[in-house]
């Protein structure tokens, strides 16, 4: 059988692994890497891969000042390019979903 190369990232397991045979196939664990049936431990080698760090980048934000229910109270509502909405009102902090200020802007 040919040597099978599996990408390895830094884990607590290091290069310790096992082969698991299930009803759906044969896997190298940890990681559940599918390998051909009949693969033996000596057929597996690891190639270290540096994990890629993904950061959420906010490119542009749209901001509105929305009047509150009480006179003189103003809340800031923001819409981000990824679709997230925020509002500085107390209801948004304690309520799941959108507050009435965000709902009004969406409509």
């Amino acid at each position: 059988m040919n040597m099978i190369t599996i990408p390895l990232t830094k884990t607590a397991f290091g290069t310790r692994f096992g082969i698991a045979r299930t009803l759906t196939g044969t896997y190298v664990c940890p990681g559940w890497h599918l390998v051909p049936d009949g693969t033996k431990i000596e057929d597996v080698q690891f190639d270290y891969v540096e994990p890629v760090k993904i950061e959420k980048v906010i490119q542009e934000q749209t901001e509105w000042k929305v009047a509150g229910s009480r006179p003189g109270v103003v809340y800031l509502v923001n819409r981000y390019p990824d679709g997230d909405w925020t509002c500085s009102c107390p209801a948004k902090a304690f309520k799941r979903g959108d507050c009435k200020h965000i709902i009004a802007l969406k409509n």
Side-chain angles (χ1 to χ4, degrees):
M1 178 168 278
N2 293 333
M3 187 63 74
I4 298 168
T5 303
I6 295 177
L8 173 72
T9 57
K10 287 184 181 176
T11 66
F13 299 105
T15 57
R16 295 183 191 156
F17 68 95
I19 295 180
R21 290 176 182 83
T22 69
L23 294 174
T24 59
T26 302
Y27 300 88
V28 172
C29 296
W32 293 96
H33 301 280
L34 183 63
V35 294
D37 287 337
T39 299
K40 297 178 184 156
I41 288 179
E42 55 269 9
D43 298 330
V44 177
Q45 69 180 10
F46 289 96
D47 183 19
Y48 179 74
V49 176
E50 187 70 37
V52 177
K53 293 182 181 179
I54 299 173
E55 295 181 21
K56 185 176 182 179
V57 177
I58 298 174
Q59 298 173 347
E60 183 181 328
Q61 129 185 8
T62 306
E63 182 177 278
W64 295 269
K65 292 182 180 179
V66 179
S69 302
R70 293 182 292 154
V73 177
V74 176
Y75 298 114
L76 293 177
V77 177
N78 295 297
R79 183 189 69 206
Y80 297 94
D82 64 358
D84 287 344
W85 287 77
T86 61
C87 182
S88 62
C89 75
K92 180 63 178 159
F94 296 105
K95 177 183 171 187
R96 290 186 186 190
D98 296 336
C99 65
K100 63 183 180 182
H101 311 107
I102 293 173
I103 292 170
L105 286 170
K106 283 183 173 181
N107 294 331

